[in-house]
Amino acid sequence: MANPLPPSILTQNAAAQLAQILTPPVSSENLGKALRLLAKWRSHVLLNTIVKRDGVTVQTGPFAGMIYRNAASEGAGATRLLGCYETSLAPIIAKIVAGQYRQVIDVGCAEGYYAVGLARLMPYAQIIARDANPAALALCARLAADNGVADRVTCAGKMSYDDFAACKSGKTVVICDIEGGEVDLLDPAKATGLLQADILVETHDCMTAGLSDLIAARFAASHHIERIDRLLDPAALPNWMEQLSDLDRLLALWEWRTGPTPWLWMTRKEAL
């Protein structure tokens, strides 16, 4: 019998972390951490399997056909490659593409999934990709180059209130996902340029209770507001995943969220 292959670095690291988490005394909290660690490990294994079997092209959803060889800088990669990442936003993405925006400002662009995906679908638009993490910006720039849109995707650092003045230069949509930082940044009293833009923002209620209501209240006078909650799309699973366990199929759709992160789609009521 052939010798079994040694465990991968991914598996070795997960095992080491698991042993540390489960050092006695074991508690319910530690078991919860262990469960999440093992789920993330399995999610990585599934992503590697998808790449091996199907390659690095997004399979379904609004960004189908996008080359995506980047590792996600935050969150699950499998759902991005399958094309069902944040699947409840698909109708909003369609509205953005149909909206003929001349400028997209992606705040918290991470590795560029939305910035590059929209650049491919909106050849008439300039994309401004902003992130405080230099490593994420490097990944975003690489993804733009992979997909032939580097000339229209400008990568830059952290967004300030004054930077939103760019919204006044033409029809603009702002996409914002900054892990709770929206409570400070998306303030139209301090960033008046936001009043000139339509805004799609992920509100991290799992970090700050009531955050979505707070953001909505700030823009209630100037914008129409639609709330979008989480949704899973098993239709995005490739046929070969029928052979996997129910748990693996569920983990392929898992986005690593710890709680509610509703999105707000806020469109201007009138030109201000």
Side-chain angles (χ1 to χ4, degrees):
M1 177 181 291
N3 292 328
L5 293 175
S8 67
I9 297 298
L10 171 66
T11 297
Q12 292 179 51
N13 288 341
Q17 292 176 60
L18 182 63
Q20 185 175 12
I21 290 172
L22 294 181
T23 299
V26 176
S27 64
S28 296
E29 180 182 0
N30 284 353
L31 287 175
K33 291 178 179 178
L35 175 61
R36 183 172 176 83
L37 170 66
L38 288 172
K40 290 175 72 173
W41 165 77
R42 191 62 181 174
S43 178
H44 278 299
V45 171
L46 290 166
L47 171 61
N48 292 340
T49 304
I50 293 168
V51 171
K52 184 176 180 179
R53 293 192 61 136
D54 298 332
V56 293
T57 300
V58 175
Q59 298 183 21
T60 68
F63 304 141
M66 179 170 68
I67 297 169
Y68 184 77
R69 65 187 179 98
N70 279 357
S73 64
E74 184 275 328
T79 52
R80 289 167 164 88
L81 200 48
L82 292 176
C84 57
Y85 179 64
E86 297 177 329
T87 192
S88 60
L89 292 185
I92 307 303
I93 297 301
K95 290 180 180 179
I96 289 173
V97 173
Q100 297 292 305
Y101 295 93
R102 311 312 298 179
Q103 180 175 239
V104 178
I105 301 177
D106 186 0
V107 186
C109 65
E111 79 289 340
Y113 191 76
Y114 283 105
V116 175
L118 288 171
R120 292 180 70 251
L121 296 174
M122 302 167 68
Y124 43 82
Q126 293 295 316
I127 315 297
I128 301 173
R130 304 293 294 259
D131 203 288
N133 182 352
L137 290 176
L139 289 173
C140 184
R142 187 180 79 166
L143 191 63
D146 283 347
N147 286 275
V149 295
D151 59 325
R152 291 186 296 105
V153 177
T154 302
C155 298
K158 187 174 181 180
M159 196 79 175
S160 71
Y161 297 131
D162 290 342
D163 290 334
F164 285 112
C167 298
K168 302 173 183 179
S169 64
K171 189 176 183 182
T172 300
V173 60
V174 172
I175 300 174
C176 182
D177 180 3
I178 51 175
E179 305 304 312
E182 64 273 13
V183 68
D184 295 316
L185 186 62
L186 295 191
D187 185 343
K190 298 176 181 178
T192 57
L194 288 168
L195 296 172
Q196 303 297 322
D198 293 338
I199 304 165
L200 178 62
V201 54
E202 186 176 47
T203 55
H204 293 78
D205 286 14
C206 60
M207 298 180 179
T208 304
L211 183 52
S212 57
D213 292 335
L214 173 63
I215 298 294
R218 289 178 181 173
F219 290 90
S222 58
H223 288 69
H224 299 288
I225 300 172
E226 176 184 354
R227 176 183 167 121
I228 301 124
D229 288 303
R230 293 171 290 180
L231 182 68
L232 297 181
D233 180 18
L237 296 175
N239 290 336
W240 59 265
M241 282 194 175
E242 284 289 340
Q243 307 305 315
L244 301 184
S245 69
D246 286 353
L247 181 57
D248 273 347
R249 287 164 58 83
L250 180 60
L251 288 174
L253 299 173
W254 180 47
E255 297 179 359
W256 298 11
R257 301 184 191 282
T258 59
T261 54
W263 287 81
L264 301 178
W265 173 230
M266 305 191 293
T267 54
R268 291 190 303 156
K269 291 181 178 178
E270 59 185 27
L272 297 175

